[in-house]
Amino acid sequence: MSLRQFEYALAVAEEGSVTAAAERLHVAQPSMSQQIRTLERELGVTLFDRTPTGLVPTVVGRAFLRDAELAVTAARRARATARAGADDLVGELVVAAQMGLGTRQLPNALGVLRRRFPRVAVTVFEEPNPADLERMARRGVLDLALMAGPCGEGRYIGHHLGDEGFLVVLAEGHPLLAADRIELRDLEREPWVRFDQDGALDSLLRNVLRDNDIAPVTVARVSQTATAVRWAAQGLGVTLVPASAVPHDHCHLARPVSPGVYQPVVAAVRPGAGPAETALLELLRRENWCRTAHPAPLA
């Protein structure tokens, strides 16, 4: 197996077509097809299924591609580090954010960081599940991760940024919107838009519902907080998300709940962090993680 084969497989997954992937990477289509077949033979698995809409990764293919992306990112980072030693380039900063954390705070902080370190190339892994986040941390791919709860002992140093409040999102015209704060027990009969079962966000929601003696009727599961908010706003069901995940144009549909729901936000930083990682941590500390309104951007 080679890094080039990994890059080819990732491109095919993104484009859904060998032809489109080859065009994007400026590679001959027969050569890319041969490399994919060779990779599948070496692995002893089928990475892609042919469907009417194009090539789709198999279950084992999706698992392989997650690790392939880590390998390609690590290689790109190593090249950037080597170039930094040769011609004083800053290099690359690799960040991950668990689903629902830092939806507004992280972009704010990265915007300021960009102005301070214009030659830093930032790669962000959005919403990896806990297993993927742990795998990236174990392999040393990440420079900083936003996560709920403690980080792996020894590999990273955890910095508690605050406890972000959660809001319930309801449909336009829902009678409960008349209140400034909604009692969780009043949501007992509501259908719920929830999240992937193996994710940290659905684990938190499951515990909240259990602690308040609510047996939820789950009408949908989604993989992103933005989707949950939109679907709740359309009346499919209610959802509970971090305050920063509610877009400004949906604020009028969101309310805090009683008893309050909060989630610790931890920035896990590699020991011996460089100036860019240190600056990003300090910028994240300046963000508001506690209130249930939208934080203002950094000046």
Side-chain angles (χ1 to χ4, degrees):
M1 291 183 291
S2 69
L3 193 63
R4 177 171 294 182
Q5 289 173 322
F6 289 2
E7 291 173 336
Y8 287 175
L10 288 167
V12 170
E14 291 172 4
E15 299 292 341
S17 160
V18 173
T19 301
E23 290 177 355
R24 194 182 86 185
L25 298 181
H26 306 290
V27 178
Q29 186 269 339
S31 175
M32 179 173 286
S33 294
Q34 182 180 2
Q35 289 293 333
I36 296 296
R37 288 195 297 269
T38 299
L39 179 61
E40 289 181 322
R41 283 198 301 270
E42 290 182 15
L43 294 171
V45 300
T46 299
L47 296 176
F48 298 97
D49 283 332
R50 291 188 176 276
T51 73
T53 58
L55 294 176
V56 175
T58 61
V59 173
V60 69
R62 290 196 297 273
F64 166 80
L65 289 168
R66 285 196 294 268
D67 284 344
E69 185 173 15
L70 296 180
V72 170
T73 299
R76 187 169 61 244
R77 183 176 167 203
R79 287 195 294 266
T81 301
R83 290 196 301 268
D87 55 14
D88 199 33
L89 291 176
V90 175
E92 184 179 27
L93 185 65
V94 181
V95 179
Q98 230 175 54
M99 184 168 73
L101 294 182
T103 306
R104 289 187 175 274
Q105 295 94 332
L106 182 58
N108 287 347
L110 288 175
V112 178
L113 185 78
R114 178 67 177 167
R115 294 192 290 274
R116 293 186 185 176
F117 296 91
R119 291 188 293 172
V120 167
V122 180
T123 298
V124 179
F125 288 93
E126 295 181 282
E127 303 177 351
N129 63 44
D132 287 339
L133 191 61
E134 171 64 22
R135 186 182 299 111
M136 286 188 284
R138 189 169 59 248
R139 295 189 176 189
V141 173
L142 298 175
D143 296 308
L144 184 147
L146 285 180
M147 54 198 303
C151 55
E153 280 296 322
R155 289 190 293 268
Y156 291 83
I157 300 172
H159 303 265
H160 183 220
L161 300 176
D163 299 291
E164 186 169 17
F166 277 61
L167 303 177
V168 65
V169 182
L170 306 166
E172 192 83 51
H174 196 291
L176 289 178
L177 288 173
D180 292 331
R181 182 177 294 268
I182 295 174
E183 298 289 332
L184 278 167
R185 64 173 177 269
D186 291 337
L187 301 171
E188 182 177 7
R189 298 182 181 276
E190 298 287 341
W192 284 85
V193 177
R194 296 178 60 183
F195 304 95
D196 292 337
Q197 293 185 8
D198 60 349
L201 199 54
D202 197 68
S203 177
L204 179 142
L205 177 56
R206 186 166 55 248
N207 291 337
V208 168
L209 296 174
R210 182 199 62 210
D211 293 346
N212 288 274
D213 296 321
I214 297 175
V217 174
T218 302
V219 294
R221 288 188 180 273
V222 299
S223 59
Q224 296 187 8
T225 53
T227 303
V229 170
R230 288 197 301 270
W231 288 13
Q234 291 297 319
L236 187 63
V238 303
T239 195
L240 191 71
V241 297
S244 63
V246 180
H248 286 296
D249 57 354
H250 287 76
C251 285
H252 64 294
L253 302 177
R255 296 289 186 275
V257 294
S258 180
V261 177
Y262 299 90
Q263 180 170 244
V265 183
V266 174
V269 183
R270 184 194 307 276
E277 295 98 304
T278 302
L280 180 57
L281 174 61
E282 291 309 310
L283 290 168
L284 289 170
R285 288 185 188 278
R286 290 175 54 192
E287 288 286 341
N288 191 318
W289 297 92
C290 300
R291 67 185 186 180
T292 52
H294 292 296
L298 289 170

